[in-house]
Amino acid sequence: MLLEVKNLSTEFKLKRGIVKAVDDISFTIDKGEILAIVGESGSGKSVTALSIMGLLQKPGRIASGEILYKSQDLNKLSLKELQKLRGNRISMIFQEPMTSLNPVWRIKDQIMESIMTHMQVSKKEALARTIEMLDTVGIPSAAERANDYPHQMSGGMRQRVMTAMALACDPELLIADEPTTALDVTIQAQILELLYRMREKFHMAVLLITHDLGVVFEAADRVIVMYCGKIMEEADVRSLFTHPLHPYTVGLLQSIPQIDDDSDMRLNTIKGMVPNPLNMPPGCSFSDRCDHRMERCTREMPELQELDGHKVRCFLYEEAREGGLSIK
């Protein structure tokens, strides 16, 4: 097992109260596996990634739990020890490359800095590695484009640069936070194909953070569905798409536009709004929006339970029959 997150809770202490952005979540990632975390904005996906990387900024803090990388608790490492891992054994592609890349540094300088920090090579070797990685991620005329500044590249090319930088030191775990957001569908497909090729080439694990279920279906091995900081469902990708269990997952899947739908039909939506994190309702956080709500849902938070290898947090399945159920 490469990474094990155990009972992780991350909170933000604000003047108006404490926001639990991540609320007691646990999951594992094996070497060579692609695990996707999906959910609406504010569900805790990106905060989970930043918690793992040790990049939370105040007033955010990890309140409890363990983040075990090869059985080593990242929470207990010093900043110097953590910096040796970040960008080296564990790397991250951030959500917006234009704000993640330094606008006044050439592309090659930004990638070379990471390589020279972690791999202890000469400047000449770092430049050769930089050009090799830019070529690997599909940037044409890599040696020439390495001299460009970020603003001279398109959004898709900047995302490839971020990917090259993240992969430059051969990480064992890559965290990709919304790597296809704001890219057109053609570039999205290219970035996903790139991640898949890199996984196969380097046998690295990938934690894919996204709200795009189409991306999940194409790329992931397993899926975690988060809502209001909690894991609502976890399953392999085929099981989740063919037999979703949680009403929230069902709603997400039903809201995906279908190419053969009648153009006059209205898209399915999940009624209501995500609750205010400063004023969470008692019981299940999804109960106000759920068509299957029972009286106890408004009082108690269900536990995450396993049902034929499929994990779900819902009272509907406490007495589930052998073979599982699905909500339609």
Side-chain angles (χ1 to χ4, degrees):
M1 188 180 301
L2 186 65
L3 182 78
E4 183 178 11
V5 175
K6 299 172 68 174
N7 306 111
L8 176 66
S9 292
T10 301
E11 62 185 28
F12 290 80
K13 191 172 183 180
L14 308 177
K15 290 182 179 179
R16 293 175 292 163
I18 294 177
V19 172
K20 277 194 173 183
V22 174
D23 191 359
D24 193 27
I25 70 169
S26 300
F27 62 87
T28 63
I29 305 177
D30 290 325
K31 190 171 183 179
E33 180 181 32
I34 298 181
L35 173 67
I37 299 182
V38 301
E40 295 173 88
S41 296
S43 62
K45 308 184 302 298
S46 293
V47 175
T48 299
L50 293 174
S51 299
I52 294 170
M53 292 293 291
L55 292 173
L56 283 170
Q57 294 185 345
K58 291 184 178 180
R61 74 180 189 96
I62 294 175
S64 61
E66 297 176 303
I67 302 169
L68 303 176
Y69 170 72
K70 291 184 171 180
S71 302
Q72 183 180 35
D73 192 348
L74 300 184
N75 287 340
K76 295 180 179 178
L77 297 183
S78 66
L79 180 59
K80 187 175 181 179
E81 290 172 323
L82 198 55
Q83 286 173 337
K84 287 182 180 179
L85 281 177
R86 280 198 306 240
N88 186 14
R89 299 295 83 204
I90 304 174
S91 204
M92 185 167 178
I93 302 174
F94 292 92
Q95 190 167 346
E96 177 43 64
M98 197 57 195
T99 56
S100 301
L101 293 169
N102 190 321
V104 298
W105 277 29
R106 297 182 189 275
I107 294 301
K108 66 179 183 182
D109 296 326
Q110 300 189 51
I111 301 177
M112 286 171 63
E113 181 187 36
S114 176
I115 294 170
M116 294 176 71
T117 297
H118 296 295
M119 299 184 78
Q120 296 180 341
V121 296
S122 68
K123 192 171 182 179
K124 183 179 179 180
E125 291 171 318
L127 177 58
R129 175 68 173 171
T130 295
I131 294 171
E132 177 191 351
M133 291 309 302
L134 291 175
D135 183 63
T136 298
V137 299
I139 292 182
S141 305
E144 290 76 21
R145 297 307 301 269
N147 292 304
D148 287 352
Y149 290 94
H151 73 271
Q152 293 176 286
M153 290 186 158
S154 66
M157 285 296 173
R158 288 195 295 267
Q159 194 63 281
R160 287 173 185 268
V161 168
M162 287 292 297
T163 304
M165 189 183 301
L167 297 175
C169 298
D170 296 334
E172 293 179 303
L173 172 63
L174 175 67
I175 300 175
D177 187 6
E178 302 277 11
T180 60
T181 295
L183 301 178
D184 65 57
V185 291
T186 304
I187 303 300
Q188 282 188 21
Q190 291 174 0
I191 295 296
L192 288 178
E193 174 63 23
L194 172 63
L195 286 179
Y196 198 81
R197 282 196 291 109
M198 295 301 101
R199 189 271 292 262
E200 294 298 307
K201 183 175 180 179
F202 300 111
H203 200 56
M204 66 181 180
V206 180
L207 178 60
L208 178 63
I209 311 289
T210 184
H211 63 271
D212 190 329
L213 287 166
V215 168
V216 171
F217 185 76
E218 290 292 329
D221 299 310
R222 281 192 301 123
V223 190
I224 286 172
V225 179
M226 287 187 69
Y227 184 79
C228 292
K230 283 193 172 292
I231 292 176
M232 293 300 185
E233 188 164 357
E234 179 181 346
D236 68 84
V237 68
R238 186 168 296 277
S239 296
L240 188 102
F241 276 78
T242 56
H243 298 292
L245 298 183
H246 199 282
Y248 177 57
T249 309
V250 174
L252 289 177
L253 292 172
Q254 289 179 343
S255 66
I256 300 174
Q258 302 297 321
I259 196 167
D260 57 350
D261 280 349
D262 188 326
S263 60
D264 294 329
M265 289 179 61
R266 291 178 63 88
L267 286 174
N268 287 305
T269 58
I270 301 174
K271 67 181 182 182
M273 299 288 290
V274 178
N276 185 338
L278 285 168
N279 187 27
M280 294 293 292
C284 177
S285 53
F286 189 65
S287 61
D288 286 348
R289 309 176 71 185
C290 183
D291 293 331
H292 301 270
R293 180 177 59 188
M294 298 177 281
E295 194 276 333
R296 69 182 299 195
C297 300
T298 63
R299 295 182 287 104
E300 305 171 45
M301 173 63 77
E303 296 294 324
L304 190 66
Q305 58 187 300
E306 188 164 338
L307 189 66
D308 296 331
H310 200 132
K311 294 180 181 178
V312 61
R313 187 186 299 277
C314 185
F315 289 127
L316 287 171
Y317 302 99
E318 278 200 349
E319 305 298 330
R321 296 185 302 275
E322 186 176 350
L325 299 170
S326 62
I327 307 169
K328 301 296 181 184

